[in-house]
Amino acid sequence: MAGPMDRIQVLDEIEKDIITCLQCAAQALLELGKEKSSQKQAESNTSQFLRTLSQVESKLSDQINYLTQVSTGQPHEGSGYASQKVLQMAWHRLEHVRSWVNELERLKAAHLAASRSISGVANGGMTSSGTSTQ
């Protein structure tokens, strides 16, 4: 794939093509606005406009496709975005697992406390060795 400077040059070329498009359209309209317009000249300018517009559309589609790849995290040359996204997701998963472990610890402690109090009531306040808890 092209590097950042190549991409900037392509965008510069697209800008120049857009200027050419506008100039061709203006020339065609000027020709048609004349009292004695040349149909051949107007058609030539129109044809040049359509060809250049097609090139602009194609080049812009290529740029949009590249940006779509970048934004979806697909690996591409010259970018650390995909790696950064993977790391960010790993941190997110780690935090999620930590919160679940903490929740399980809390539930375990609550369950153990509840089972101790139930077992103390069931023994009539006696411990397993037969001594009183009161």
Side-chain angles (χ1 to χ4, degrees):
M1 281 239 163
M5 290 306 294
D6 294 333
R7 294 227 171 259
I8 290 173
Q9 285 178 325
V10 169
L11 290 173
D12 189 46
E13 290 171 17
I14 291 171
E15 184 179 19
K16 289 176 183 174
D17 287 345
I18 291 171
I19 291 168
T20 301
C21 263
L22 293 173
Q23 289 172 339
C24 289
Q27 289 296 332
L29 291 173
L30 282 173
E31 190 61 41
L32 291 172
K34 292 180 181 175
E35 275 188 41
K36 294 183 181 180
S37 64
S38 166
Q39 185 174 354
K40 183 178 177 184
Q41 186 63 35
E43 286 176 358
S44 172
N45 286 328
T46 304
S47 178
Q48 177 65 27
F49 167 79
L50 292 173
R51 277 193 309 274
T52 308
L53 185 62
S54 177
Q55 291 172 354
V56 167
E57 182 180 16
S58 174
K59 289 177 184 178
L60 283 176
S61 291
D62 290 343
Q63 294 297 314
I64 291 169
N65 287 337
Y66 170 76
L67 292 173
T68 301
Q69 288 178 347
V70 172
S71 68
T72 59
Q74 293 180 0
H76 60 287
E77 187 178 308
S79 173
Y81 179 78
S83 300
Q84 183 181 5
K85 186 174 180 181
V86 167
L87 177 63
Q88 185 180 23
M89 292 302 293
W91 279 111
H92 179 73
R93 286 190 303 272
L94 177 64
E95 289 302 316
H96 186 68
V97 168
R98 281 183 180 160
S99 71
W100 273 103
V101 168
N102 289 336
E103 179 65 14
L104 289 173
E105 285 291 330
R106 188 189 66 74
L107 289 172
K108 175 184 162 188
H111 179 68
L112 287 174
S115 68
R116 284 187 189 128
S117 68
I118 290 174
S119 110
V121 169
N123 290 333
M126 300 291 240
T127 63
S128 60
S129 63
T131 59
S132 174
T133 58
Q134 298 175 5

